[in-house]
Amino acid sequence: EAGVAQSPRYKIIEKRQSVAFWCNPISGHATLYWYQQILGQGPKLLIQFQNNGVVDDSQLPKDRFSAERLKGVDSTLKIQPAKLEDSAVYLCASSLDEGGGRNIQYFGAGTRLSVL
Amino acid sequence: GNSVTQMEGPVTLSEEAFLTINCTYTATGYPSLFWYVQYPGEGLQLLLKATKADDKGSNKGFEATYRKETTSFHLEKGSVQVSDSAVYFCALRKDSNYQLIWGAGTKLIIKP
């Protein structure tokens, strides 16, 4: 079974530029998550999708960040314009909509963003 | 609210030493608890989990027991290897929406 695919692995941009990240979840996984992981910290949830609908985007800085999941499969996360403090690893995860102990999040390798 | 607290790192041990990484939580209800591991340059991988009190999760020689009375889920391994060097994250899952609440992570360094 293929895992969660993310691209690119690394991105370096200057502040005020825009950038986009792509994620393809595990086949059949209805729920998709985007996290921001700043060095030395745990992941911070940015947005959670179920199929192509948004479940929670309360921590997404909507003035500069946007995300979409057209057709309920792959997803893109965009930052426009980028700030220095956006330097982080952006992680995508997906999970089946199973109840109880079987709801497990599986993570991609992440995209490391450096804003100069 | 819900929160997870982990011991600060880095934790540096010699090969074959006994490992404990402390994790305590605050939560309403009865969350599920997880340990994830992040090897250098890789994404997060589920290491083990426990879904109810007194459950013991185990994998690759690591163990953790869900202790409701002490609100803890400490990670242990009897004999660590150099290949265990990584960052370990403790997390709890909110049953309402399956979101994970994460600790800050503990970096483990094993010296040969």
Side-chain angles (χ1 to χ4, degrees):
Chain A
E1 176 181 84
V4 177
Q6 287 189 250
S7 67
R9 286 297 311 273
Y10 306 94
K11 191 73 178 178
I12 300 174
I13 61 172
E14 295 186 350
K15 60 182 179 183
R16 291 188 291 272
Q17 286 187 324
S18 61
V19 63
F21 313 125
W22 175 82
C23 172
N24 191 30
I26 293 172
S27 178
H29 280 198
T31 305
L32 185 148
Y33 310 80
W34 281 104
Y35 291 89
Q36 180 191 60
Q37 186 180 18
I38 292 173
L39 188 64
Q41 299 181 18
K44 170 190 167 185
L45 180 68
L46 294 175
I47 189 166
Q48 177 184 356
F49 291 96
Q50 183 168 5
N51 297 309
N52 59 350
V54 175
V55 174
D56 185 352
D57 63 357
S58 58
Q59 297 195 86
L60 187 73
K62 297 180 186 65
D63 57 334
R64 298 184 301 106
F65 286 64
S66 64
E68 61 181 12
R69 191 184 184 196
L70 301 176
K71 302 180 181 178
V73 181
D74 56 351
S75 175
T76 55
L77 175 70
K78 296 178 182 178
I79 308 175
Q80 182 180 13
K83 293 185 175 181
L84 296 177
E85 58 262 36
D86 298 332
S87 294
V89 176
Y90 290 84
L91 296 167
C92 180
S94 69
S95 66
L96 278 169
D97 274 346
E98 292 184 314
R102 292 177 295 173
N103 188 290
I104 303 296
Q105 292 186 29
Y106 296 90
F107 286 79
T111 297
R112 183 176 298 276
L113 174 67
S114 297
V115 182
L116 306 178
Chain B
N2 299 313
S3 66
V4 175
T5 303
Q6 289 181 237
M7 66 188 293
E8 285 193 25
V11 173
T12 303
L13 296 172
S14 297
E15 208 166 18
E16 298 183 3
F18 184 87
L19 168 71
T20 299
I21 299 178
N22 290 337
C23 171
T24 57
Y25 68 91
T26 302
T28 55
Y30 302 95
S32 296
L33 301 172
F34 299 81
W35 278 101
Y36 277 80
V37 59
Q38 189 170 37
Y39 297 103
E42 298 184 15
L44 289 154
Q45 301 176 26
L46 177 66
L47 182 59
L48 53 83
K49 65 180 176 68
T51 58
K52 60 183 186 295
D54 299 325
D55 267 3
K56 177 185 285 188
S58 61
N59 186 25
K60 299 181 181 179
F62 291 89
E63 293 183 342
T65 301
Y66 188 161
R67 302 284 188 200
K68 193 173 190 317
E69 63 275 14
T70 54
T71 62
S72 65
F73 193 54
H74 304 321
L75 183 68
E76 296 181 336
K77 187 174 185 181
S79 176
V80 292
Q81 306 300 314
V82 173
S83 57
D84 294 327
S85 298
V87 181
Y88 292 80
F89 290 90
C90 185
L92 69 82
R93 187 179 67 204
K94 296 163 59 176
D95 288 339
S96 56
N97 56 15
Y98 299 131
Q99 288 181 5
L100 292 172
I101 307 298
W102 298 85
T106 302
K107 184 173 184 177
L108 175 65
I109 300 170
I110 306 301
K111 295 187 173 181

